[in-house]
Amino acid sequence: MAHRLARDGGEGGGHKSRWEWVAALVSTALVLGVVGYLAYDVVARPRTPPAITVQADTVLKAGGQWLVRFRADNHGHETAAGVAVEGALMEGEREIEASQATLDYVPGESVRHGGLFFGADPRAYRLELRVHGYQEP
């Protein structure tokens, strides 16, 4: 009986169907492609430090305060953690009000969003947004 199972492709038969070979080849190609991409990413791409720019998206009334939603774009390849963002409402050279937020992390070549709260209406002043610093993760 054991001899018959082996000949019929059962236990111990070793015969592979055409679809098993196709699946094995596709899987191998995918794994090699991923490994190749990761090797390229490590060796060929430049490793530039974080280069974060901040710009306002929208201004909304939020309860008794004003909310300025912003986007932080990291144009560098490295990740920045603890990104300190400050917004200031300016009238000429005089600062009327300031607000700060910290983004946990901004990965390389990505965008993160945040918000700053102000007591005064930001639309009545010149809004300046800037990044003060970051930490290496």
Side-chain angles (χ1 to χ4, degrees), residues 48-53 72-80 106-112:
T48 58
I52 301 169
T53 59
D73 292 276
N74 186 352
H75 302 282
H77 291 100
E78 294 180 0
T79 298
V106 183
E109 299 179 338
S110 71
V111 174
R112 290 292 181 265

Side-chain angles (χ1 to χ4, degrees), residues 14-92:
H15 174 70
K16 302 283 187 226
S17 76
R18 184 176 328 169
W19 292 113
E20 287 176 300
W21 284 108
V22 169
L25 289 173
V26 169
S27 299
T28 301
L30 288 173
V31 168
L32 290 176
V34 168
V35 169
Y37 173 77
L38 292 174
Y40 165 78
D41 188 50
V42 168
V43 175
R45 289 181 59 197
R47 285 300 185 215
T48 58
I52 301 169
T53 59
V54 184
Q55 66 183 39
D57 280 338
T58 57
V59 176
L60 306 167
K61 185 75 169 161
Q65 298 183 358
W66 292 89
L67 171 62
V68 174
R69 289 186 177 164
F70 66 84
R71 64 180 279 150
D73 292 276
N74 186 352
H75 302 282
H77 291 100
E78 294 180 0
T79 298
V83 178
V85 176
E86 181 185 66
L89 302 180
M90 305 294 291
E91 186 172 61

Side-chain angles (χ1 to χ4, degrees), residues 1-11:
M1 180 76 118
H3 180 64
R4 176 189 252 179
L5 284 175
R7 202 179 324 150
D8 291 342
E11 292 179 26

Side-chain angles (χ1 to χ4, degrees), residues 84-126:
V85 176
E86 181 185 66
L89 302 180
M90 305 294 291
E91 186 172 61
E93 294 300 313
R94 188 172 72 111
E95 182 178 290
I96 304 300
E97 186 178 354
S99 180
Q100 297 179 354
T102 302
L103 300 173
D104 289 338
Y105 70 96
V106 183
E109 299 179 338
S110 71
V111 174
R112 290 292 181 265
H113 298 272
L116 298 169
F117 290 101
F118 293 96
D121 184 351
R123 298 173 298 181
Y125 302 97
R126 185 178 82 247

